[in-house]
Amino acid sequence: MENKELQEVVDAITDAILAMEQRINKRFDTVEDRLEAIEDEINGISLDVDIIEAKTKKHDFDIKRIKSAM
């Protein structure tokens, strides 16, 4: 092979590797976006659970206070 032919082969391989890297990066970005959305949803659910627990504890406290007042 001549240097020009060898350079063309190297360029073609380099282009293929770069294209593959871009596809992989897009897939990772998609996965990362999905994981972030799931994380946001879990955080929202966790906040809801915390609110419910706080309300339950307040109700339990109110019930105990009413029982002791009787």
Side-chain angles (χ1 to χ4, degrees):
M1 270 195 215
E2 295 179 19
N3 282 340
K4 184 179 179 182
E5 290 173 334
L6 183 58
Q7 185 61 47
E8 288 175 357
V9 170
V10 170
D11 289 344
I13 292 171
T14 302
D15 291 344
I17 289 171
L18 290 174
M20 184 173 57
E21 181 185 15
Q22 288 176 346
R23 287 193 307 272
I24 290 170
N25 284 339
K26 284 181 184 177
R27 288 182 181 155
F28 278 123
D29 289 344
T30 301
V31 169
E32 185 177 21
D33 291 344
R34 289 179 183 168
L35 288 175
E36 287 175 358
I38 291 170
E39 182 181 15
D40 290 344
E41 189 173 333
I42 289 171
N43 288 337
I45 292 169
S46 178
L47 289 174
D48 290 344
V49 168
D50 290 344
I51 291 168
I52 292 168
E53 286 178 346
K55 287 182 178 183
T56 302
K57 286 179 183 179
K58 184 187 179 311
H59 288 197
D60 287 345
F61 176 77
D62 290 343
I63 290 170
K64 287 179 184 176
R65 192 180 58 162
I66 291 169
K67 282 183 179 178
S68 13
M70 293 168 121

